[in-house]
Amino acid sequence: MIRSKTSPSRAPFIRAASTASDFLWKRSAALLIPAAAAVFFYGPAALALFAASAAAAVLAERAMGFILKKPVPFQGGHALGIGLTLALMLPPGLPLWMAVLGAVFAVAVARDAFGGPGQAPLPPILAGFLFLAVSFPLEMRAVTDPVTGHAAAHGLAWLKDGVADSGPHLSRIFMTPQPGGAGMVFFPALAAAGLLLIFQRLVFWELPFLFLAASALTAFGFGEHPAAALAGSNAFAAFFLISEGMTAPHNRHGARFFALLAGFLAAALRQVSGAFDPSAAAVMMVSFLTPWLEEAGRTERGWAPPRGASA
Amino acid sequence: MRGIKLDGKKDPTLITWTIKRLRQPARVRIALRQGGRDLAVPCVRHDDSVKAGQVIALPADDFSTPLHASVSGKVMAVGTFAHPFLEDAQAIEIVGDGRGETAPGVGTERLGWESLDRAQLAPLFRQAGLVTMDEAMVPLHVLAQESLTARVRTLVINLCEPEPYVTSEQALAMSHALEIIQGAEILRKAFGAEKITAVLTEDKIQAAELLKSKIYFLKWGHVDVRVLPLVYPQGLDVPLAETLLERKLKLPAEWHRGGTPQDKGLALHRVFRSEGLEILNGASAFAAHEAIVLQKPLFERAVTVGGECVMEPKNLWAPLGLSFQDVFKAAKGLMRDPAKVIAGGPMQGRFQAGLEAMLVKGIPALLALPPEAAPDPAASACIHCGLCIDVCPENLSPVMITLASESGLYEEAASWNAADCIRCGNCTYICPSKRPMDALIDRAIHEQLNSESRL
């Protein structure tokens, strides 16, 4: 029989220039915008929090790489993203060692112990957040209002008696700092970072959009002003949590379902309890459903109906 | 269609539209198997004098075509030489005498070629050794015979040439537009098609206008020109057919299974024909014109010699059987050692381990790429960025197929419609983690086919 030559090297021979570490470093760079806002409002304490968490995540990755004798993946970009995102979700007054612990847990236990990036059953960021929330519930709840300097309710709980009836309160969401995780203080910073991600095509624009839309509709259903969906932690979840690759389903329909469900749940949870960060909790809960959403999101051919002729 | 806007890198070979002739080569080796399934038996002996266009090997079966000497000279030997697509192949070695003589009749116009009908054309195709001028190299007389039992509505002349570096079709269309249209008309008659559609991508708008002007001049109402957006893989045969038909095709198992280029090509042409299409490239139409009108058998073709390592990238009329070494020499050689030599384009072509292999009918381009253009990046873990989903022209989820395939879950991979993959290479190209997507998808499909054949 005549055998076709098997090539030691196969087509395509050219590759796109961007690499996974570029991808992850760009993501981390976008996170610096809300981080800068946090430093502006909370001062050096926030800076120390970010630095501690990011450094702990990167060092934990190095240590795990040394112990498991594996090379450091993506030049540290992935761990840096975890450390930074986690720090942005923590209350700014949190003791640094707790932030370090959370970052180390997220990278070393939730990610590397399960085989590294892409292998973890739960999104490492949310696992780290959950770990801290369960271990140190009091400290994780302690949030100061960046304006008054007094203790405030975490996350979106302040909305219940805040902007519920629209009017002048709306401007409070968009233009003034609000209590919550360190990175969630200032909506314009979050929106800028989110748009940056979308325009760099690091995030599929539909997902934040659907998440926020579902959240707004649900809020409206509960008698709140729909703009409540844009408040700090919800916007943060929309731009940084649901679009995080490992969290969302890997087909578009599945990811859309995911965003819708998480958006609904984020608004609904806020009604039920003011505890912690309802948006992060909602994303976490829905991420358990990812395999089923993936399954439900299948269409006959991949993820989208053929568009027909493009010419 | 979803796809990628690739960096074309076509300018270096398009400085002039002319396709250069090279000096009479010293030596050619003409493969007796061009595409794997065909076979020709030598009908010349050692020390016989041959002229360009003279038959030197006769077809061994109904599928094959005769082969013609591509230079004038003396037959040296029949031996085993490196083949660009097959593991090794017998070839006839001819040492050129530098005189460049052609066999009698070659190049003179055939009287009454306009009135040749379908039954007369197929044997003429065969005599001239015509094949589809892409990697598949399916003999045209076989396609013409098969089209007798099927209704071919449209003959598509695919001038899209979507791959970077490759410009031989474009140069051909710019320099021989009328010949291509006349050749297409000959092919249309041979396949019994009703109309001809020439398809180009929007970067070749000049060629499209030129073709249109020639068609206007000929007053042929059954020929039209379509310009499609420039997005890879638009212009490969399968996505092109899907665009023209406005629906997705089911690819046959024979195509997935691999085998020789000709087996794959034949399976694909059967799918197209069942949809009423016959898709051939511009070089095939040009070759048909040469063979029927000018009685010139297929013994040379336009080849792009390109890539950053080539001293003077250009399009050449290269005699078949020329070694790759000599093809590069005709472009003033290589200025640095290439990381990869590729027969064909960088997205679909074949890696060449050395420069000894000979040119066969289905090589539109020969590229010598440096390591920065053709890197061998190390793969890392999937970061689930979803870029491969964005660029898949078949709307598949390559990430799910490859993750399943990596874990050995071939049934799962199949359930993500792995078998609809058209191997355009987009997912491998775009993957930021540089995972071997195509190899993993290939493995999933082969495992699926194997388990199906076991049942």
Side-chain angles (χ1 to χ4, degrees), chain B residues 127-378:
Chain B
Q127 278 174 27
L130 295 190
V131 298
T132 62
M133 303 280 272
D134 48 9
E135 192 190 308
M137 290 184 270
V138 184
L140 291 187
H141 73 273
V142 175
L143 294 180
Q145 276 158 9
E146 287 191 357
S147 71
L148 290 173
T149 51
R151 214 172 100 87
V152 178
R153 287 191 309 277
T154 310
L155 170 69
V156 180
I157 299 297
N158 180 1
L159 290 158
C160 294
E161 208 166 48
E163 296 206 49
Y165 300 102
V166 187
T167 56
S168 53
E169 294 265 295
Q170 191 177 355
L172 203 57
M174 290 304 292
S175 54
H176 296 85
L178 188 63
E179 285 87 345
I180 288 180
I181 296 167
Q182 285 181 333
E185 173 65 10
I186 291 165
L187 291 172
R188 183 193 70 80
K189 274 192 209 160
F191 295 130
E194 287 152 25
K195 59 188 190 106
I196 301 170
T197 305
V199 190
L200 299 93
T201 45
E202 61 196 355
D203 58 325
K204 299 173 190 66
I205 198 83
Q206 278 177 301
E209 293 302 323
L210 189 59
L211 289 173
K212 278 183 195 164
S213 74
K214 302 290 181 200
I215 294 164
Y216 179 77
F217 164 71
L218 289 166
K219 297 190 175 57
W220 282 354
H222 60 282
V223 188
D224 64 344
V225 177
R226 269 188 77 171
V227 178
L228 298 179
L230 175 68
V231 55
Y232 185 86
Q234 183 61 276
L236 297 187
D237 285 351
V238 178
L240 179 64
E242 289 177 343
T243 304
L244 295 175
L245 294 165
E246 303 195 3
R247 74 192 133 84
K248 299 290 180 193
L249 293 175
K250 199 86 198 149
L251 296 172
E254 302 90 60
W255 185 75
H256 283 303
R257 206 164 265 136
T260 64
Q262 277 172 336
D263 289 325
K264 291 176 73 172
L266 203 55
L268 213 49
H269 275 283
R270 283 181 183 145
V271 173
F272 296 152
R273 203 175 305 118
S274 69
E275 305 285 342
L277 293 181
E278 190 65 71
I279 302 181
L280 294 172
N281 55 10
S284 311
F286 179 77
H289 175 271
E290 296 265 285
I292 301 302
V293 180
L294 296 177
Q295 307 195 55
K296 187 177 160 191
L298 178 53
F299 61 77
E300 62 179 9
R301 67 158 300 153
V303 179
T304 301
V305 192
E308 286 87 345
C309 293
V310 176
M311 188 72 90
E312 203 170 86
K314 59 170 82 160
N315 283 299
L316 288 174
W317 286 115
L320 296 178
L322 200 60
S323 77
F324 291 172
Q325 183 87 53
D326 291 344
V327 176
F328 285 122
K329 221 178 255 173
K332 305 227 165 132
L334 301 171
M335 50 183 159
R336 51 189 283 208
D337 277 340
K340 276 174 196 162
V341 174
I342 301 161
M347 296 297 282
Q348 297 281 312
R350 297 274 204 119
F351 175 81
Q352 300 299 320
L355 294 174
E356 300 81 43
M358 74 289 260
L359 196 70
V360 294
K361 294 174 181 176
I363 298 184
L366 208 53
L367 309 177
L369 302 182
E372 63 270 19
D376 264 321

Side-chain angles (χ1 to χ4, degrees), chain A residues 108-129:
Chain A
V109 180
R111 193 193 79 181
D112 284 353
F114 288 97
Q119 315 278 322
L122 264 185
I125 300 168
L126 292 176
F129 183 74

Side-chain angles (χ1 to χ4, degrees), chain A residues 205-290:
Chain A
W205 67 273
E206 276 185 34
L207 303 185
F209 174 78
L210 288 174
F211 178 88
L212 292 174
S215 198
L217 270 180
T218 314
F220 185 68
F222 281 109
E224 286 183 337
H225 194 284
L230 291 176
S233 69
N234 223 29
F236 185 84
F239 291 125
F240 300 115
L241 293 185
I242 57 160
S243 55
E244 206 260 340
M246 320 282 173
T247 318
H250 307 129
N251 48 351
R252 287 291 186 230
H253 275 356
R256 287 180 185 123
F257 293 150
F258 180 92
L260 284 173
L261 201 57
F264 159 76
L265 208 59
L269 274 183
R270 189 167 73 235
Q271 309 302 322
V272 181
S273 100
F276 294 120
D277 189 336
S279 306
V283 175
M284 173 78 129
M285 284 168 157
V286 182
S287 74
F288 282 110
L289 302 178
T290 291

Side-chain angles (χ1 to χ4, degrees), chain A residues 54-299:
Chain A
V58 173
L59 289 177
E61 183 182 53
R62 301 261 154 174
M64 284 304 274
F66 181 74
I67 295 168
L68 301 174
K69 303 209 166 32
K70 278 186 175 178
V72 174
F74 312 121
Q75 295 159 10
H78 196 248
L80 181 72
I82 293 177
L84 262 182
T85 316
L86 180 66
L88 290 176
M89 295 167 73
L90 302 177
L94 197 73
L96 290 187
W97 65 269
M98 286 186 190
V100 168
L101 199 59
V104 170
F105 180 85
V107 171
V109 180
R111 193 193 79 181
D112 284 353
F114 288 97
Q119 315 278 322
L122 264 185
I125 300 168
L126 292 176
F129 183 74
L130 185 73
F131 169 75
L132 288 179
V134 170
S135 312
F136 316 107
L138 280 181
E139 289 82 351
M140 289 289 283
R141 270 165 179 272
V143 170
T144 46
D145 191 310
V147 182
T148 59
H150 299 307
H154 190 286
L156 295 170
W158 61 277
L159 272 174
K160 295 189 90 168
D161 32 62
V163 287
D165 22 277
S166 81
H169 301 294
L170 264 186
S171 65
R172 202 180 146 193
I173 286 180
F174 294 119
M175 294 318 292
T176 55
Q178 38 189 296
M184 305 165 185
V185 271
F186 197 49
F187 175 78
L190 285 176
L195 290 177
L196 190 66
L197 289 179
I198 288 171
F199 282 117
Q200 288 190 306
R201 297 191 163 216
L202 300 178
V203 161
F204 181 45
W205 67 273
E206 276 185 34
L207 303 185
F209 174 78
L210 288 174
F211 178 88
L212 292 174
S215 198
L217 270 180
T218 314
F220 185 68
F222 281 109
E224 286 183 337
H225 194 284
L230 291 176
S233 69
N234 223 29
F236 185 84
F239 291 125
F240 300 115
L241 293 185
I242 57 160
S243 55
E244 206 260 340
M246 320 282 173
T247 318
H250 307 129
N251 48 351
R252 287 291 186 230
H253 275 356
R256 287 180 185 123
F257 293 150
F258 180 92
L260 284 173
L261 201 57
F264 159 76
L265 208 59
L269 274 183
R270 189 167 73 235
Q271 309 302 322
V272 181
S273 100
F276 294 120
D277 189 336
S279 306
V283 175
M284 173 78 129
M285 284 168 157
V286 182
S287 74
F288 282 110
L289 302 178
T290 291
W292 286 278
L293 290 173
E294 235 156 40
E295 202 58 42
R298 279 193 201 199
T299 53

Side-chain angles (χ1 to χ4, degrees), chain A residues 5 11 16 250 252 300-301, chain B residues 83 384 390 394 417 434 438:
Chain A
K5 206 180 239 175
H250 307 129
R252 287 291 186 230
E300 197 181 328
R301 196 185 180 99
Chain B
H83 189 288
H384 304 265
D390 291 343
E394 296 297 298
N417 304 16
K434 314 295 173 199
D438 56 340

